[in-house]
Amino acid sequence: MREDDSPIDTTTLQRVGGALGSHPAGIYEDARGRRWYVKTVESPAHARNEWLAAQLYRLAGAPTLPYRRSRVPDQVVTAWVPLRCHRVSQLSEAERCQARHWLGVHAWLANWDAAGFDGDNQGVGPDGTVLTLDVGGALLYRAQGDPKGAAFGTRVDEWDRLRCDPDNPHARRLFADMDAAELRAAAQGVTALPAAMVQACVLRHGGTPALAQQLLARQADLRLRAGPGSPGTAAPGPT
């Protein structure tokens, strides 16, 4: 394991700033002057879930804050990145296009909090890349920590709900006006992933074989919802 991949001993860090969300958290600095955002979540299972979600976002190419493991099992650590903005309402049209491109990943991983409760889960990094700032609402748990249970199944209803649900106004504001070409491109970021890569990522980062199979079933469902043109979808034959 490389030094930059090793778990961080957060007990050696100095706190230099407060929490930015609903979880106990703070901004910390290490001996080399690097800053980290350290968040304490409900359990080690929640921390593992968020770590796995971040690795699946990375597998699909969707930008997030850089995640690092913590030696404390119920903590989540991300590198501190100065943002140009962190509100959906502040994104330029070009930045909105960037953010919309990852709808398929948000839907596949059931990240109901993709835009954020206050529209504050999309931010622009110093190089102009739009980042998802927190992926704790993906996979098995809601953003506030409650288990999703049966609401996280093999159907990717989020493909429609993130665009249409009036109870998720910031997501609807961001994704509702995507045209057919944008939707196809957003789905392809997920449907093009080889099954073996998905399985390997899940198992390598603490997920179960059952979860890997569930994500493959969700990938297949998204392929059907996206329609012809998605990788792996056969073109209609002659009639």
Side-chain angles (χ1 to χ4, degrees):
M1 182 179 290
R2 296 177 305 175
E3 186 270 341
D4 283 343
D5 292 334
S6 60
I8 292 177
D9 182 358
T10 56
T11 65
T12 67
L13 305 181
Q14 180 181 0
R15 186 182 177 100
V16 296
L20 301 178
S22 58
H23 285 89
I27 305 166
Y28 290 79
E29 188 172 285
D30 64 20
R32 294 166 56 183
R34 299 175 301 179
R35 292 194 170 189
W36 309 93
Y37 191 70
V38 181
K39 176 176 69 173
T40 301
V41 294
E42 290 77 2
S43 72
H46 287 77
R48 290 193 300 269
N49 183 78
E50 185 164 348
W51 171 263
L52 174 57
Q55 305 316 305
L56 288 163
Y57 267 83
R58 182 178 179 183
L59 180 69
T64 69
L65 293 174
Y67 275 74
R68 285 280 296 274
R69 291 188 185 274
S70 170
R71 291 187 182 178
V72 180
D74 62 350
Q75 286 183 342
V76 173
V77 179
T78 52
W80 178 255
V81 175
L83 301 173
R84 296 184 188 177
C85 71
H86 57 92
R87 296 280 177 181
V88 168
S89 61
Q90 296 171 337
L91 299 179
S92 69
E93 186 55 36
E95 291 161 352
R96 284 169 53 83
C97 287
Q98 277 194 60
R100 289 196 298 259
H101 182 69
W102 305 112
L103 169 64
V105 184
H106 299 312
W108 178 47
L109 300 180
N111 189 358
W112 307 342
D113 198 44
F117 182 78
D118 291 319
D120 56 354
N121 203 15
Q122 296 290 315
V124 183
D127 64 352
T129 299
V130 179
L131 309 167
T132 299
L133 304 179
D134 188 308
V135 299
L139 297 176
L140 301 174
Y141 297 101
R142 299 172 184 263
Q144 297 301 317
D146 293 335
K148 293 177 184 173
F152 176 57
T154 58
R155 291 171 50 90
V156 190
D157 294 327
E158 292 83 0
W159 180 248
D160 297 315
R161 288 179 180 167
L162 287 171
R163 293 183 288 135
C164 305
D165 188 351
D167 292 330
N168 198 345
H170 296 287
R172 186 175 61 169
R173 176 177 184 174
L174 181 58
F175 300 119
D177 60 352
M178 291 176 67
D179 62 29
E182 284 184 295
L183 291 171
R184 284 194 299 272
Q188 286 171 2
V190 173
T191 59
L193 291 172
M197 290 180 64
V198 173
Q199 290 176 312
C201 184
V202 172
L203 297 178
R204 184 183 308 121
H205 295 290
T208 64
L211 178 58
Q213 290 304 309
Q214 186 175 5
L215 287 172
L216 292 177
R218 290 177 65 86
Q219 183 190 45
D221 185 60
L222 180 58
R223 186 176 292 118
L224 290 174
R225 291 170 185 266
S230 294
T233 301
T239 59

